[in-house]
Amino acid sequence: MEAEELKYLIVNRKENAPTMQSDLARKLVWVPHEVQSFCAAGIIAEEGDMLTVLLEEGGKKVKVTRDECQKMNPPKYHKVEDMSELICLNDASVLFNIKDRYFSDLIYVSKHIKPNFH
């Protein structure tokens, strides 16, 4: 592949910064959202199966059950080219990765060609 073509596939990891800059970054999860399907949130309190989270969008505090949350991948996996590399492979993480790559003008789906070993 030419260098020009690679800019649509490969991410510059030096420019890939975390979205939430705080001590909550270690406890990030995806929670259901009415408009966006899932929203990034930081866990601020735990009481049994209930979690109090701070939504990244708008900074609103919300209580959700632990089962409603999906684990979030560390920032180094944002815009990953091969989603099988994700540590947390769940609906929210796959959707986020596809949207993140799309809005960064990166190829977000790829058809792998099997090599011919004749």
Side-chain angles (χ1 to χ4, degrees):
M1 260 188 190
E2 299 289 323
E4 180 67 19
E5 295 167 333
L6 287 176
K7 75 179 185 182
Y8 298 107
L9 180 62
I10 298 174
V11 175
N12 181 349
R13 295 286 171 209
K14 292 177 183 171
E15 295 175 5
N16 195 17
T19 53
M20 288 183 82
Q21 299 288 333
S22 72
D23 59 335
L24 296 175
R26 290 170 287 177
K27 296 182 178 182
L28 292 179
V29 292
W30 295 109
V31 295
H33 190 271
E34 297 165 357
V35 178
Q36 299 179 20
S37 298
F38 298 97
C39 183
I43 299 171
I44 54 176
E46 300 179 39
E47 297 174 27
D49 283 342
M50 292 300 293
L51 302 175
T52 303
V53 297
L54 181 64
L55 298 180
E56 181 182 56
E57 181 185 292
K60 183 179 173 184
K61 289 183 183 179
V62 178
K63 287 194 178 219
V64 294
T65 64
R66 192 175 300 274
D67 291 340
E68 290 179 284
C69 298
Q70 295 185 24
K71 291 183 180 180
M72 185 182 287
N73 290 285
K76 76 176 194 173
Y77 291 98
H78 289 192
K79 300 178 189 166
V80 69
E81 292 87 19
D82 183 353
M83 284 193 260
S84 68
E85 295 175 10
L86 294 174
I87 294 172
C88 304
L89 189 58
N90 53 47
D91 294 342
S93 293
V94 169
L95 179 61
F96 170 76
N97 194 57
I98 290 170
K99 285 170 52 177
D100 202 20
R101 290 184 62 80
Y102 176 80
F103 289 115
S104 298
D105 291 329
L106 296 167
I107 295 172
Y108 50 98
V109 230
S110 163
K111 185 177 182 180
H112 293 284
I113 299 171
K114 296 181 180 178
N116 188 355
F117 293 109
H118 286 120

